[in-house]
Amino acid sequence: GYCFLTDWHWNIKRQLGEENLPNSFIQYLFEILGISIAPAATDLITLIAFLFAIGMSVYYNFIKKL
C-alpha cells in the first residue's frame, strides 16, 4: 500500500543524498536492524500482522461484546 509519510520521508532522505531505498518502510526497518529478509517475505509478514490486527480488533470490539 501507499503511505504518504513514507513517501515524504523518502523524498527527504533522497535530498540528503541517500540512495537505494527499499519500496517498503518495514523493509527499511529490517535493514536498519541488520535483518536480511527478502522483500516478498517482508510484504507477507506485514500482511499477516495487518490481518491479525484487524481480526483482533473486530473480535474484541464487536464479537466479544455480544
Side-chain angles (χ1 to χ4, degrees), residues 1 5-9 13-14 17-19 21-23 27-28 33 35 39 43-44 48 54 57-59 64-66:
L5 292 174
T6 299
D7 193 36
W8 183 30
H9 187 198
K13 291 183 96 32
R14 281 189 201 99
E18 188 147 352
E19 298 175 349
L21 293 167
N23 292 330
Q27 182 70 35
Y28 182 68
L33 295 172
I35 300 170
D43 291 343
L44 181 61
I48 291 168
I54 288 175
S57 178
V58 168
Y59 175 74
K64 192 170 181 183
K65 270 188 171 182
L66 302 174

Side-chain angles (χ1 to χ4, degrees), residues 12-64:
I12 292 169
K13 291 183 96 32
R14 281 189 201 99
Q15 289 175 4
L16 293 172
E18 188 147 352
E19 298 175 349
N20 299 322
L21 293 167
N23 292 330
S24 152
F25 187 76
I26 303 298
Q27 182 70 35
Y28 182 68
L29 289 177
F30 280 145
E31 290 176 7
I32 288 174
L33 295 172
I35 300 170
S36 179
I37 187 168
T42 300
D43 291 343
L44 181 61
I45 291 167
T46 304
L47 175 63
I48 291 168
F50 178 70
L51 293 175
F52 178 76
I54 288 175
M56 290 293 98
S57 178
V58 168
Y59 175 74
Y60 281 105
N61 288 299
F62 298 107
I63 297 171
K64 192 170 181 183

